[in-house]
Amino acid sequence: MAQTTHIAVTPGDGIGPEVVEEAIRCLDTLRTKHSLALEWTHFPWPSHAWHQEHGKSMPEDALSQLKAYDAILLGALGDPGPVDDPNRYLLTDSVSLAPLLEMRKGFDQWVCERPARLLPGARRYLADERAKDLDMLVIRENSEGEYVGQGGRLRKGTEDETATQMEVFTRKATNRIIRYAFEQAHTRATERANEGRTRHFRTLDGRDCESQVCLITKRNALRYWGDMYTEAFEEISKEFPDVATHHELVDAACMKFVQSPWTFDVVVASNLQGDILTDLAAVLSGGMGVAPSCNLNPTDPDMPSMFEPTHGSAPDIAGQGLADPTAMLFTVARMLEWFGRKDPVMAAAGKELFGAVAADLAENAGTRRGTEDIGAAICGRLTA
Ligand code: IPM
Ligand code: MN
């Protein structure tokens, strides 16, 4: 029997608890079905509710408590809603969302993986038929860059006020994220070949490859880290001669994501640019309701990785049972596949869940259903 994998479940705010409930329902079903060695524990923090009671979003020793787990499954953080209650306990975004950044940083979750695939049944915002082939994996550098949180405000409140916001890019973090992107390109090409859906990308010298990595920077204006990323990319690409490469500036990349998103495979970008690009990629692949997100530490097995849907707390629909748990369930599928690195039964359960969520999406395109209905329908598929 495999060693038990422990998940810290942090439902958070707004629709977080609602979509987490469906995640647990599906996890429970899969655990029973496959005798998965899986346990989970719920935490009431980080959340607005905890802050209201204790004056902070999570306890002082939150990270050391969470470190004991193999993974964190987070619902959502932010405005708890309902928006028509002007007296609800509300924190500013930078306070309520800080735990997210603390976990990413504290556990050195240096990869943020956000797959964007336009699956049958998902809303297609783009008119071009070819958009149905949209299938990319955006890899966001998740440990530094524009998010280091260094800087300050000088002469605050005066007309001479000066705000500085430092960006830090290290060669070490650059190399590891770029190498990770190439490795994922390989993995994806192998998976596609196994599923009989090989794709073709051309290299600059006219060769045909089954995968591609696109580096995104703003090196024409932000040249220091832009040049370092470009050099690292060129060097590391030599280790992967069968992966096609290209480079886009972030503004042009936004345009091409909309114009011809099917030409991208793996995309690697800095923390902030990856953040912005993944909202765009999420919409192009059906919207926030279907977009998963994984904050990973692939190098240190003692550090938990964190899995969360890309969406926020959706205060406008919170508490009404209307939230679509699809993004959360795709996230859980990826979490199981992550556990699958050590335990093939988990990997198979992850694939099974992905298949059930995708089939549910395909069959119910456009129908209005509540959170529970969707979760129950997907569980029904798992037990059928
Ligand atoms: C995300 C979010 C966060 C980020 C915010 C909430 C700090 O937008 O996960 O994409 O910018 O990373
Ligand atoms: Mn974001």
Side-chain angles (χ1 to χ4, degrees):
M1 182 98 177
Q3 223 183 340
T4 302
T5 298
H6 297 273
I7 309 169
V9 178
T10 58
D13 301 312
I15 61 166
E18 297 167 57
V19 295
V20 161
E21 208 174 309
E22 300 316 314
I24 297 300
R25 189 206 291 263
C26 290
L27 276 173
D28 211 11
T29 303
L30 287 166
R31 176 169 68 178
T32 307
K33 184 172 174 187
H34 300 293
S35 307
L36 299 179
L38 207 53
E39 297 288 345
W40 48 83
T41 307
H42 275 75
F43 288 82
W45 47 259
S47 66
H48 271 71
W50 181 272
H51 195 287
Q52 186 166 20
E53 210 177 310
H54 300 89
K56 50 190 173 209
S57 296
M58 52 186 189
E60 244 21 274
D61 66 345
L63 292 198
S64 52
Q65 287 195 49
L66 293 174
K67 192 168 180 290
Y69 291 82
D70 298 291
I72 301 156
L73 185 64
L74 186 133
L77 293 180
D79 185 337
V83 278
D84 57 6
D85 174 10
N87 298 317
R88 69 191 182 281
Y89 185 76
L90 204 51
L91 299 163
T92 55
D93 283 354
S94 59
V95 172
S96 65
L97 295 159
L100 204 56
L101 301 180
E102 280 171 47
M103 286 189 227
R104 289 178 187 167
K105 218 168 275 174
F107 299 131
D108 195 20
Q109 295 161 348
W110 53 271
V111 178
C112 180
E113 254 185 32
R114 292 183 168 171
R117 182 170 166 193
L118 184 61
L119 292 164
R123 183 157 181 187
R124 202 181 84 201
Y125 289 89
L126 294 173
D128 197 312
E129 268 299 312
R130 289 170 292 181
K132 71 177 185 351
D133 293 327
L134 187 164
D135 180 4
M136 55 180 157
L137 176 66
V138 184
I139 294 178
R140 163 182 179 188
E141 203 296 316
N142 216 30
S143 68
E144 56 171 38
E146 306 89 340
Y147 274 57
V148 289
Q150 290 176 23
R153 290 170 71 180
L154 200 63
R155 295 185 286 274
K156 199 172 170 181
T158 73
E159 61 179 15
D160 293 321
E161 180 165 354
T162 307
T164 52
Q165 187 88 42
M166 188 90 89
E167 299 189 353
V168 176
F169 295 85
T170 64
R171 185 71 184 217
K172 189 177 142 204
T174 305
N175 283 348
R176 69 183 179 180
I177 198 69
I178 289 174
R179 183 165 285 110
Y180 187 84
F182 277 99
E183 287 163 359
Q184 291 310 301
H186 259 173
T187 307
R188 281 163 61 84
T190 308
E191 276 173 14
R192 286 194 294 255
N194 291 340
E195 291 167 17
R197 46 183 198 97
T198 299
R199 292 172 73 190
H200 297 276
F201 302 91
R202 238 171 220 300
T203 60
L204 291 174
D205 55 2
R207 288 178 303 114
D208 181 73
C209 295
E210 292 184 4
S211 62
Q212 178 212 63
V213 180
C214 176
L215 171 68
I216 297 192
T217 69
K218 182 64 187 170
R219 70 181 178 203
N220 54 348
L222 307 177
R223 55 178 292 195
Y224 304 119
W225 75 260
D227 286 348
M228 185 172 75
Y229 260 63
T230 305
E231 287 163 25
F233 187 71
E234 266 166 27
E235 264 169 41
I236 292 165
S237 71
K238 294 193 187 111
E239 298 167 26
F240 301 86
D242 55 343
V243 179
T245 57
H246 79 143
H247 175 265
E248 294 291 349
L249 297 168
V250 66
D251 46 352
C254 289
M255 182 182 73
K256 291 183 186 175
F257 267 28
V258 173
Q259 226 167 27
S260 52
W262 54 86
T263 60
F264 292 90
D265 184 14
V266 174
V267 170
V268 59
S270 75
N271 211 332
L272 176 63
Q273 294 184 6
D275 174 46
I276 297 165
L277 287 166
T278 49
D279 266 29
L280 179 53
V283 163
L284 299 180
S285 57
M288 281 297 170
V290 297
S293 174
C294 314
N295 303 275
L296 309 174
N297 183 333
T299 33
D300 186 346
D302 291 334
M303 294 292 189
S305 291
M306 191 224 310
F307 297 81
E308 45 156 356
T310 305
H311 65 65
S313 60
D316 50 331
I317 54 164
Q320 299 173 46
L322 293 176
D324 188 342
T326 301
M328 173 50 102
L329 296 175
F330 276 141
T331 303
V332 173
R334 280 193 90 87
M335 179 179 74
L336 291 169
E337 289 195 49
W338 175 254
F339 299 152
R341 298 188 317 161
K342 284 192 240 152
D343 180 356
V345 183
M346 294 277 197
K351 282 207 187 327
E352 186 180 343
L353 179 56
F354 174 85
V357 183
D360 177 80
L361 189 62
E363 261 179 40
N364 295 284
T367 50
R368 276 209 159 273
R369 291 175 300 158
T371 315
E372 261 188 72
D373 295 337
I374 301 176
I378 292 167
C379 274
R381 280 177 195 275
L382 295 173
T383 43

